[in-house]
Amino acid sequence: MKKYLLLLLVFLGMAVSVQAQRRCGQPDAEKLKEINEYRLKYLAQEMELTDEQKPKFVELYNQMTAERKANFDKLRAAEKKLKGNLSDAEYKAQVNVVSDCKVHDAQIVKDYDAKFEKFLSAKQIYKMKEAEEKFRKRLREMHQQRKHDKKKTN
């Protein structure tokens, strides 16, 4: 019961964030911080972290997220360049950047899995990955709903 209550609170909080984004356009740093806090609480609950594990997890997870975001930003920049009018050599270079970023992301995840193994069980790491995917899926669904609702009002 407690698990479902926290999950409900997370999604309600996300819905409030989405509503605020509708009024203000893109999410600001405060909204992104709020979403990240909800995500961390959700992951901790799904992973059944102990009070001792939580601070270690949050610190390491935030480090991993920052590294992955930097890599993702590089990936998106390369993909954006691919939509331009490029020479064959420029296309090749950008395709290589995209491939390298994808490989680098997998390496980041693998490296952090090893760091998480120092204080998390294999089951908890698995649950983290599973919960991350559920959280991303729910965010995508909310984004799609927002786009759908926006089309209806226009």
Side-chain angles (χ1 to χ4, degrees):
M1 183 69 171
K2 183 180 176 186
K3 178 178 177 180
Y4 295 108
L5 180 59
L6 182 59
L7 185 58
L8 178 63
L9 289 173
V10 167
F11 288 135
L12 285 174
M14 289 172 31
V16 168
S17 292
V18 170
Q19 289 296 331
Q21 290 172 29
R22 284 185 182 161
R23 284 178 260 136
C24 303
Q26 289 295 326
D28 60 20
E30 188 62 35
K31 297 298 175 207
L32 292 174
K33 182 181 174 190
E34 187 178 318
I35 290 170
N36 188 53
E37 288 173 5
Y38 285 122
R39 177 177 50 187
L40 289 169
K41 288 177 186 174
Y42 175 70
L43 293 175
Q45 182 172 343
E46 291 295 303
M47 296 166 65
E48 301 174 359
L49 296 180
T50 66
D51 289 339
E52 183 180 302
Q53 290 174 314
K54 284 178 190 176
K56 294 177 192 174
F57 171 75
V58 168
E59 181 181 353
L60 198 56
Y61 190 84
N62 283 336
Q63 289 174 10
M64 179 183 72
T65 301
E67 284 187 42
R68 292 185 76 194
K69 183 187 179 319
N71 187 58
F72 181 77
D73 291 345
K74 184 177 176 182
L75 171 68
R76 286 293 167 245
E79 288 176 336
K80 187 176 181 181
K81 285 181 183 178
L82 285 168
K83 294 180 181 179
N85 189 13
L86 304 174
S87 69
D88 198 48
E90 291 169 321
Y91 270 112
K92 182 178 180 177
Q94 292 310 311
V95 166
N96 286 337
V97 170
V98 168
S99 295
D100 290 346
C101 285
K102 290 179 180 181
V103 169
H104 185 60
D105 186 63
Q107 189 61 51
I108 291 169
V109 171
K110 188 172 182 174
D111 290 347
Y112 275 90
D113 282 353
K115 292 175 183 181
F116 284 125
E117 284 177 358
K118 293 177 181 175
F119 62 94
L120 297 176
S121 69
K123 183 177 180 179
Q124 286 174 311
I125 293 170
Y126 171 76
K127 284 183 169 189
M128 174 184 66
K129 293 173 185 298
E130 189 175 55
E132 284 176 317
E133 185 55 39
K134 287 179 188 176
F135 194 86
R136 278 192 296 271
K137 182 180 178 188
R138 181 65 185 135
L139 284 178
R140 280 191 303 270
E141 289 170 355
M142 291 173 69
H143 179 70
Q144 291 299 322
Q145 185 63 45
R146 184 177 136 208
K147 283 173 57 174
H148 177 72
D149 292 347
K150 195 173 188 178
K151 281 184 180 181
K152 282 179 140 181
T153 59
N154 290 339

